[in-house]
Amino acid sequence: MHRPMFLETLRTLCLSQAERVAIEHIEDATEPPRVVRYGELEEMVLRTMAMLRQKGVQPGDRVAIQLGKGLPFICLHLAAMRLSAISLPLNTAYTPSELLYFLEDAEARLFFTDVLPQSAIQDLSTQTSCVQEVIGLAEKPQRAFEHLLAPFVGADAAAIPLPDDPDATCLMIYTSGTTGRPKGAELTHRNLTANLNSLHEAWEWRSDDVLLHVLPLFHVHGLLVALHGALNAGATTVLLTRFEPQQTLELLVRRPCTVFMGVPTIHRRLVEAPGAEHYSLRHMRLVTSGSDRLPEDLFRRFEERFGVQLLERYGMSEAGMILSNPLRGERRVGSVGLPLPGVDVRIVDPESGDPLPDGRVGEVQVRGDNVCKGYWRQPEKTAAAFTPDGWLRTGDLGLREPDGYFTLKGRSKDLIISGGYNVYPSEVELVLNEHPAVEASAVIGCPDVEWGERVVAVVVLRTGTEAGPDEIMQFCRERLAPYKTPRRVLFAAALPRNALGKVQKSALRNAYCQPASEHPNRLS
Ligand code: MCA
C-alpha cells in the first residue's frame, strides 16, 4: 500500500480542502489575524519554490532560516523541502558568532533572516565563504517577503515533482553534545512522516482541530510536533508570535481551541496568570507538555485550575517523539508514558549494553523510522550515537514499569534544560574559557521553579587577574544566546576533579545550588 510522505499528504489536503483555514497568524493582539487557507498556502509555497529556484537552490542545498514566527518561515521551510533541498531553521536568539558557526558548518547556500540588521548582514556576508546570498527581511518581514515573491507565479513551480527519495535529508536541526560544537541532526522525509503517523494515531488528530501555537518554530517541538501535526491533519493553526499567558488563555477559551502544546515553564505561567481561575479548559481535547520534565505539583495544579489533565510526552531532536502518555487511559504523573506506535524503546545497562529487566534504571534507547540518519558530516559522532545493532542512545536514564509505562530518572549526558531549551555546559564552558582571566570553568544546572533549571557558572580565575561576575556574564552574553548565558557566576579556588581529572559536576551542584543569598561571590 502506498503511504504518502508528509509533503504529499499536505499537497493533497491543500488541493482537496482549499477553503479550510490552515493558519491564522496573530502578530498583534489589536489587529485582525492574517488568515491563510490551505489553497492559498499551496500557492504561496509554490511561489516560494519558484523564488528559491531562481536563486539557484538545488536538491540537497541547505537553506538557513532565522525568522520569527510567521508565513515567511513556514513557506520557506516547506518550499525548501519540496525542492528536495534541506531546511535549516536557526534560533532567533543566536548571536552573530553562533550564527556564523552554523552557516559555515552546514555550508548553507542561502540565509534568510529577519533578526540581523543590514549592517550585520554585510559583516556576515564578508565572513562566510559558503553563503551565496543573505536575504534580510528585518523591516516588516511579512511585507518584505511578499515583495520578494511578487515576481513569481506558482504555476511555474507546480510541475516540480515531489521529492522522490524518502531517505533524503530534508531538515537539519542542530543539537549539541557533551563535547565540541553543535552538530546537525539530519532528518529525512521518512522520519518526519513516521513521526506524524505515530502522533496522528496516538493523539487522534482531526481536521476540525484548532491548535493554539505559542512555541518557537525553529525546534522540533514547535515545528514537527505542533505545526506539522496540525498541517498533516488538515487542521487549523492559530499562530501566536509570542507566548503571553493572558492572551493564550483568552484564545484557548474564546476561539475556542482544541489542542495546545507547551513546555512546563509555559504551563506554570498559565496556572499562575492573574485571573487564571476564571478560565476553564474542559472543552480542550489535548493539552501536551514536553521538552522538559513535568513536575508533579504542576501536573496537579494545572488539572485543578483548568479541569484538564496535561499529557506528558518525551522526545528529542534526533528522533522526534518517542514516548507519550495515552490520550485515552491513564496519564501517569511522573511518567512519560508508552512507546508511540511504530517506535521501539528499550532500557539497557549503560556499561554492558545489555537490555535490562523492568524496574531497573538504564539508558533509554530508541529504534524506528522516526530516528534520524545521523549527524551532518560527522561519521564518528554518528557511529558513537548508535549501538552496533542500530539503536539510538538517547543519553537519558529511565526505567520501564511492568505495565509498559516508562519513567525518566536523570541523564547520563551533561545537559541543562532551561524553559524547555537544551543548554550544553560544554558549549558555555568553551566561551568562558576564552575570557583572559578564566583559568578553568564548569557550568551546572541548578533547580529552579520557573525554568526547571538555571545556568550557573563556577569559575577559577588565573592568579593575579581580576574579573567580576557582571563582566563575565557580559562576556558570555556577547557570544551566546541569552538562554545559554549563565544567570549566576560564582568563583572557586579550584574545581573538584576525579582521579582522571574530570570535573565532578554533582559535587559542584551539591555545593553551589543553593539560594543566592547563601553564596558569597568568591569561595575559596
Ligand atoms: C527566554 N529566556 C530564557 C529562556 N527563554 N532564559 C533561560 N531559559 C529559557 N528557556 C530569557 C530571555 O532571553 C530573557 O532574558 C529572560 O529569559 C526573560 O524572558 P521572558 O520574556 O520571560 O521569556 P519568554 O520570551 O517569555 O520565553 C519563555 C518561554 C520560552 C516562552 C518559556 O523559553 C520558550 O518558548 N520555551 C520553549 C522552548 C522550546 O520550544 N523548546 C523545544 C526544544 P534577558 O531579559 O536577560 O534578555 S526541545 C524539543 O524540541 C524536543 C524534541 C522536545 O521533546 O520537545
Side-chain angles (χ1 to χ4, degrees):
M1 188 186 75
H2 171 71
R3 290 206 82 175
M5 293 286 134
F6 165 56
L7 291 176
E8 184 183 348
T9 304
L10 179 57
R11 189 183 63 176
T12 306
L13 285 166
C14 288
L15 301 178
S16 65
Q17 52 164 54
E19 286 308 310
R20 275 190 90 87
V21 174
I23 312 279
E24 273 175 38
H25 181 205
I26 304 177
E27 203 157 8
D28 177 343
T30 62
E31 287 181 17
R34 162 113 163 79
V35 175
V36 178
R37 294 173 194 281
Y38 272 89
E40 197 186 338
L41 179 65
E42 171 71 2
E43 172 64 16
M44 288 179 73
V45 170
L46 290 175
R47 287 168 64 201
T48 311
M49 288 164 67
M51 181 269 291
L52 291 176
R53 275 250 292 223
Q54 193 259 342
K55 289 189 181 295
V57 170
Q58 297 289 327
D61 282 349
R62 278 72 59 206
V63 177
I65 309 169
Q66 191 200 30
L67 299 174
K69 288 176 80 171
L71 265 301
F73 183 113
I74 295 171
C75 290
L76 282 165
H77 164 68
L78 293 173
M81 296 198 299
R82 278 274 285 267
L83 285 173
S84 301
I86 300 176
S87 166
L88 171 62
L90 294 170
N91 193 320
T92 48
Y94 288 146
T95 60
S97 61
E98 288 174 300
L99 261 182
L100 195 61
Y101 168 77
F102 293 114
L103 295 173
E104 291 283 301
D105 186 72
E107 261 190 65
R109 182 185 184 106
L110 293 181
F111 173 41
F112 291 83
T113 176
D114 62 8
V115 176
L116 296 185
Q118 205 52 43
S119 55
I121 288 179
Q122 256 131 30
D123 289 348
L124 194 78
S125 304
T126 56
Q127 286 168 318
T128 86
S129 47
C130 55
V131 179
Q132 292 178 6
E133 195 180 344
V134 182
I135 298 103
L137 303 173
E139 289 282 312
K140 300 203 168 65
Q142 179 65 43
R143 200 161 315 151
F145 189 66
E146 277 163 20
H147 187 69
L148 197 64
L149 294 191
F152 300 95
V153 283
D156 295 345
I160 300 173
L162 287 162
D164 59 0
D165 179 2
D167 296 312
T169 303
C170 60
L171 174 66
M172 228 151 78
I173 299 278
Y174 270 84
T175 83
S176 291
T178 44
T179 54
R181 314 274 325 244
K183 46 199 192 294
E186 289 189 54
L187 292 154
T188 65
H189 298 280
R190 190 190 301 282
N191 296 152
L192 304 194
T193 306
N195 226 243
L196 286 167
N197 290 342
S198 300
L199 293 177
H200 199 86
E201 187 180 329
W203 294 351
E204 302 179 17
W205 272 105
R206 299 174 356 192
S207 62
D208 61 353
D209 271 326
V210 179
L211 163 80
L212 181 61
H213 190 302
V214 302
L215 293 162
L217 281 174
F218 44 74
H219 275 305
V220 162
H221 195 166
L223 187 61
L224 305 195
V225 191
L227 180 73
H228 284 192
L231 290 176
N232 184 60
T236 296
T237 299
V238 178
L239 198 70
L240 259 191
T241 299
R242 243 197 121 254
F243 167 67
E244 201 283 312
Q246 224 103 33
Q247 187 188 14
T248 297
L249 287 172
E250 198 54 31
L251 278 164
L252 290 175
V253 173
R254 308 266 174 262
R255 171 62 179 74
C257 300
T258 60
V259 180
F260 182 72
M261 298 181 185
V263 301
T265 304
I266 287 177
H267 294 310
R268 194 173 289 281
R269 288 189 187 176
L270 291 180
V271 168
E272 292 175 356
E277 65 277 15
H278 303 305
Y279 294 89
S280 160
L281 302 181
R282 281 177 200 278
H283 64 283
M284 293 194 66
R285 209 176 63 67
L286 174 67
V287 184
T288 69
S289 183
S291 309
D292 194 3
R293 194 184 64 84
L294 175 64
E296 193 172 330
D297 78 296
L298 183 55
F299 177 87
R300 299 201 190 287
R301 286 178 69 199
F302 198 94
E303 186 174 11
E304 273 160 30
R305 173 120 297 172
F306 299 122
V308 62
Q309 240 182 19
L310 287 169
L311 181 152
E312 185 174 7
R313 63 30 169 209
Y314 161 77
M316 64 190 294
S317 300
E318 288 88 337
M321 296 302 99
I322 299 167
L323 293 152
S324 172
N325 273 280
L327 182 70
R328 300 166 200 277
E330 185 198 355
R331 297 187 191 169
R332 191 169 297 171
V333 58
S335 163
V336 284
L338 306 151
L340 281 162
V343 182
D344 294 329
V345 186
R346 70 179 186 185
I347 302 288
V348 303
D349 182 324
E351 302 296 318
S352 68
D354 294 333
L356 289 172
D358 290 346
R360 293 268 306 277
V361 175
E363 187 185 30
V364 182
Q365 297 189 344
V366 193
R367 195 177 61 178
D369 280 348
N370 55 310
V371 178
C372 76
K373 64 183 188 194
Y375 298 112
W376 172 252
R377 294 181 179 166
Q378 300 268 13
E380 280 158 27
K381 289 189 175 156
T382 300
F386 288 89
T387 64
D389 54 346
W391 293 72
L392 175 73
R393 305 175 204 267
T394 64
D396 285 313
L397 300 174
L399 59 80
R400 182 185 182 276
E401 308 277 356
D403 60 1
Y405 279 71
F406 284 75
T407 302
L408 299 181
K409 292 285 179 191
R411 303 171 196 133
S412 61
K413 60 192 169 193
D414 193 12
L415 164 71
I416 298 169
I417 304 184
S418 167
Y421 282 130
N422 287 0
V423 180
Y424 287 86
S426 61
E427 208 184 327
V428 185
E429 288 157 5
L430 279 177
V431 169
L432 284 164
N433 296 347
E434 281 170 19
H435 190 286
V438 173
E439 169 83 35
S441 64
V443 170
I444 51 174
C446 287
D448 183 87
V449 173
E450 183 182 5
W451 297 100
E453 288 179 299
R454 273 166 94 80
V455 180
V456 171
V458 183
V459 164
V460 179
L461 291 178
R462 285 181 200 286
T463 324
T465 59
E466 291 271 336
D470 292 345
E471 179 189 330
I472 291 187
M473 278 192 266
Q474 183 56 28
F475 184 82
C476 292
R477 188 165 272 270
E478 284 161 15
R479 291 162 178 79
L480 292 166
Y483 69 93
K484 299 181 197 168
T485 300
R487 297 282 144 168
R488 296 186 67 208
V489 175
L490 301 163
F491 296 95
L495 298 174
R497 292 182 191 269
N498 65 14
L500 301 171
K502 194 167 179 283
V503 175
Q504 291 171 306
K505 296 262 169 119
S506 55
L508 283 176
R509 279 190 289 271
N510 289 340
Y512 292 94
C513 291
Q514 284 154 23
S517 57
E518 289 178 26
H519 276 295
N521 262 334
R522 185 177 289 273
L523 299 175
S524 51

